[in-house]
Amino acid sequence: LTGIASGNSCKLTEALAEGTVLPSPTLPGLHLPCLDTYKGWLFKWTNYLKGYQRRWFVLSNGLLSYYRTQAEMAHTCRGTIPLATAHIEVGDTCHLVLTSGGRSYHLKATSEGECQRWVSALQQAKANATLLMHHSDDSGDEGPVPQEDRALTQGVLKTLASKLDDLSTCNELIGKHGAALQRSLSELEELRGSADSTDKVKAVNERATLFRITSNAMINACRDFLDVAESHSRRWQKALQHEREQRHHLEETIEQLAKQHNSLERAWRENPTSYTGVERSQEGDASDENDDAEFFDAMEDSPAFITVTASGDIQHKTRRSRIPDKPNYSLNLWSIMKNCIGKDLSKIPMPVNFNEPLSMLQRLTEDLEYSELLDRAARCDSSLEQMCLVAAFSVSSYSTTVHRTAKPFNPLLGETYELDRLDEYGYRSISEQVSHHPPAAAHHVTSQRGWSLWQHITIDSKFRGKYISVMPLGNIHLQFHSSGNHYVWSKVTSTVHNIIVGKLWIDQSGDIDIVNNTTKDTCRLKFSPYSYFSREVPRKVTGVVEDREGTAHYILSGTWDDKMESAKIVDSSQGCGGSEGKQKTVYQTLQPKLLWKKYPLPDNAENMHFFSSLALTLNEPEEGVAPTDSRLRPDQRLMEAGLWDEANSQKQRLEERQRLERKRRDAQANQALEEGQDIEGYQPLWFEKRTDDSTGESTYLYRGGYWEAKDRQDWSQCPEIF
């Protein structure tokens, strides 16, 4: 016991814990090299009710993680076992036991050979992790090259995890021996003066000694933990600074390359015959956009990228790639919303803590993130292939929502938002808040690449206690200029879960029916709701493209947060297993083709509201926009800058001003009604309510005039709403 008191908590665990741990057996003749990753199925003991359950195990970097299915690796880990501090024990045939942090994991392989392979891989990973941990302990303060820093930092983290396991074990032993000491003292009190008192005093002394040794071990373990953390803090700071500098340099390089690639591609597309790679004449009409750019061959001593210069408006096209990091303000959502169950979400007064610094108008505009899908669709000769791309576009608009659980700002009545991307992507967009209760927005997009899109969306949202449902009502219209094909579809329901407890997460569910009103082709997309008990891929989307006779031509499949693929149907047959006695149709298809793939999020997106590259630019200040533009909204601007207290004050001021304005309009309407006069309700500035010729529905359509007013910089008709 005196040897244990020196601070070796591993020996303490072996000496004092109930039961002994068998040494790991060796496997003669079976040698595996250092394995970075080892994966496979094992059976894990769960409980007496379910017994052993099949789980997918992944051994990587000294950690053994397990999942219910392989698909869960993308989002849900069921548990992780650090091997650096784990004991590996081989039991009966095909059985093995891992013990870590006082917990045992009973595993079973499908065969003896598979069990031996797992044991060898686990022992090799444990040896590597232990070696890395000891190497990190012996290293000095001066940091090596940044590549080694990563490995050392990982080793230090595992060392800290090991020390935490030691602390946890000591804590359990202190509680155990403390309780035993208390019992002995009570028994000694009862037996005072009896013949057995000598034995009881001896027992009390032994247990007091054990308690003191355990306490000393706890103190030593705490000191070890603190020493490791302090000795490596300087190394971590240097490594972090190096990574920041490298990231910043890489971002600047990629941004420069992207701008130059964009300019070159646009210039070649507009006038491919005149691009010869030599310097173009600088003389010509300055108003001709094609003649403003100059191109030069890369010289031998030039930098790694082609140098492209253009007229002064190039600065306007440089979009930002970052916004200030989101502050870490905590606020209890349930304390605000517990009295709002069943109410319309748009009528609940919410602080900006639960918002993201974008308005609903900007979120609508964000649907254009993958506008190149529509550019490709405009060039399609087949209406069925065009339908596949339109369907992929309708799914792509949800890809940015997977981590975006915050609520966009409700636009003020008359608020507008423009997005002019004629130079980069060939389109420009204008949207306006046309109604406040119920909240409704109208949106119109025109592209020089052969398509137009418009929508009138009313948001119906309900708070149900445990979750929030957002139901967009209204249709989205898309028309291609050359063919005249007119597509119509609507959006699915978005649900934010875990409002009361747990981590917020969002799901999309329901059906989207896309109809080509010109050819009568159809596509039904099914968004499968997430289920914990389902074995299907999470966020799954499936669909079938049919012609006007109902004949299926393409199968669509994918997920709304990653990608969509299409497979051409070559044969179909009737199978069994359909619901309600109906036969299920089985399709034979060609190899699937990728329609759409989600762009990766920008670096540091988790600290920037998980905004995509387009979303980061939506609230960027621009000159010449209307005074009602969302970029000029003060509470939203302050929130983006991280000044949330000031943003909340501005939000309350704007909402109170809007309430007073609505009361004024209601009073005028009542007075006119009493006097027998006709008075029109609120009329939007850039949109008007009309009947759609193709669908017969009443909707808000763009009346025109916005871009002309912007050219003149005549905003005299715009109300003062901010």
Side-chain angles (χ1 to χ4, degrees), residues 314-567:
I314 190 65
Q315 295 300 324
H316 175 72
K317 297 173 185 176
T318 303
R319 311 292 178 186
R320 67 181 183 181
S321 59
R322 62 178 65 240
I323 60 174
D325 285 0
K326 175 183 177 183
N328 187 19
Y329 290 154
S330 62
L331 195 62
N332 188 351
L333 177 60
W334 179 242
S335 66
I336 294 174
M337 303 192 70
K338 62 184 178 182
N339 298 321
C340 304
I341 296 177
K343 292 184 180 179
D344 188 330
L345 188 64
S346 64
K347 297 182 180 179
I348 300 175
M350 299 278 284
V352 300
N353 303 55
F354 303 115
N355 285 79
E356 60 178 18
L358 291 177
S359 73
M360 182 58 73
L361 299 179
Q362 291 165 313
R363 284 293 291 269
L364 275 182
T365 308
E366 202 175 342
D367 288 355
L368 301 172
E369 174 112 26
Y370 299 94
S371 62
E372 71 271 10
L373 290 172
L374 302 184
D375 299 341
R376 288 165 52 194
R379 298 191 294 268
C380 280
D381 296 327
S382 167
S383 63
L384 294 171
E385 293 179 2
Q386 190 177 74
M387 173 67 85
C388 293
L389 289 166
V390 172
F393 174 77
S394 70
V395 174
S396 70
S397 63
Y398 298 98
S399 64
T400 62
T401 67
V402 62
H403 301 296
R404 304 264 291 276
T405 55
K407 176 179 175 287
F409 280 79
N410 289 329
L412 303 177
L413 188 61
E415 187 172 331
T416 61
Y417 181 73
E418 68 157 75
L419 188 69
D420 189 342
R421 292 291 191 267
L422 278 179
D423 292 336
E424 296 97 326
Y425 306 112
Y427 70 80
R428 57 185 182 184
S429 159
I430 176 64
S431 55
E432 181 179 7
Q433 187 78 355
V434 297
S435 172
H436 188 63
H437 286 301
H443 183 207
H444 185 271
V445 190
T446 301
S447 172
Q448 293 178 338
R449 300 179 184 176
W451 54 270
S452 295
L453 181 145
W454 64 96
Q455 57 182 321
H456 169 213
I457 299 295
T458 301
I459 302 297
D460 184 17
S461 52
K462 292 294 182 182
F463 174 52
R464 304 295 186 184
K466 293 183 179 180
Y467 62 89
I468 292 173
S469 293
V470 180
M471 293 80 69
L473 308 176
N475 290 327
I476 302 171
H477 296 258
L478 170 66
Q479 188 166 29
F480 292 99
H481 302 163
S482 59
S483 65
N485 287 339
H486 182 178
Y487 294 84
V488 181
W489 70 93
S490 57
K491 290 179 173 286
V492 296
T493 298
S494 301
T495 307
V496 182
H497 296 270
N498 288 352
I499 297 300
I500 300 177
V501 293
K503 183 179 179 180
L504 293 175
W505 61 279
I506 194 167
D507 195 21
Q508 316 289 347
S509 58
D511 295 341
I512 292 181
D513 290 314
I514 308 176
V515 179
N516 184 340
N517 288 333
T518 307
T519 64
K520 305 305 178 186
D521 299 336
T522 61
C523 175
R524 165 162 286 192
L525 294 171
K526 179 177 178 58
F527 287 64
S528 301
Y530 176 78
S531 172
Y532 179 83
F533 302 100
S534 174
R535 296 196 174 186
E536 289 190 342
V537 177
R539 310 180 185 97
K540 182 178 179 181
V541 180
T542 55
V544 180
V545 175
E546 299 178 344
D547 61 21
R548 64 188 308 157
E549 283 81 23
T551 304
H553 290 268
Y554 288 92
I555 295 293
L556 305 180
S557 62
T559 58
W560 54 262
D561 68 323
D562 184 27
K563 65 179 180 181
M564 287 295 293
E565 296 176 331
S566 68

Side-chain angles (χ1 to χ4, degrees), residues 203-216:
V204 169
N205 285 332
E206 290 176 352
R207 289 174 175 170
T209 301
L210 284 174
F211 188 78
R212 178 176 57 80
I213 291 172
T214 309
S215 301
N216 288 337

Side-chain angles (χ1 to χ4, degrees), residues 41-43 93-96 107-112 114-115 118:
W41 291 101
L42 289 174
F43 290 88
T93 306
C94 302
H95 285 71
L96 60 147
L107 309 177
K108 183 171 66 173
T110 55
S111 66
E112 186 65 31
E114 181 67 15
C115 181
W118 269 107

Side-chain angles (χ1 to χ4, degrees), residues 236-348:
W236 287 344
Q237 290 173 1
K238 291 175 62 178
L240 181 61
Q241 181 62 29
H242 175 78
E243 292 297 330
R244 284 175 175 167
E245 293 173 356
Q246 289 292 98
R247 186 187 72 188
H248 183 65
H249 175 70
L250 182 60
E251 285 175 348
E252 290 181 340
T253 304
I254 292 176
E255 184 179 357
Q256 179 186 8
L257 177 61
K259 287 190 300 183
Q260 297 175 5
H261 175 79
N262 241 348
S263 301
L264 288 172
E265 184 181 20
R266 187 176 69 251
W268 179 85
R269 187 183 295 112
E270 292 171 351
N271 199 358
T273 58
S274 64
Y275 180 67
T276 61
V278 298
E279 182 176 346
R280 296 178 58 189
S281 172
Q282 300 183 32
E283 299 176 358
D285 186 1
S287 64
D288 187 347
E289 183 178 334
N290 291 340
D291 290 339
D292 280 344
E294 302 171 13
F295 303 88
F296 300 87
D297 279 339
M299 306 302 290
E300 291 184 0
D301 57 347
S302 66
F305 299 109
I306 300 172
T307 301
V308 178
T309 60
S311 58
D313 65 345
I314 190 65
Q315 295 300 324
H316 175 72
K317 297 173 185 176
T318 303
R319 311 292 178 186
R320 67 181 183 181
S321 59
R322 62 178 65 240
I323 60 174
D325 285 0
K326 175 183 177 183
N328 187 19
Y329 290 154
S330 62
L331 195 62
N332 188 351
L333 177 60
W334 179 242
S335 66
I336 294 174
M337 303 192 70
K338 62 184 178 182
N339 298 321
C340 304
I341 296 177
K343 292 184 180 179
D344 188 330
L345 188 64
S346 64
K347 297 182 180 179
I348 300 175

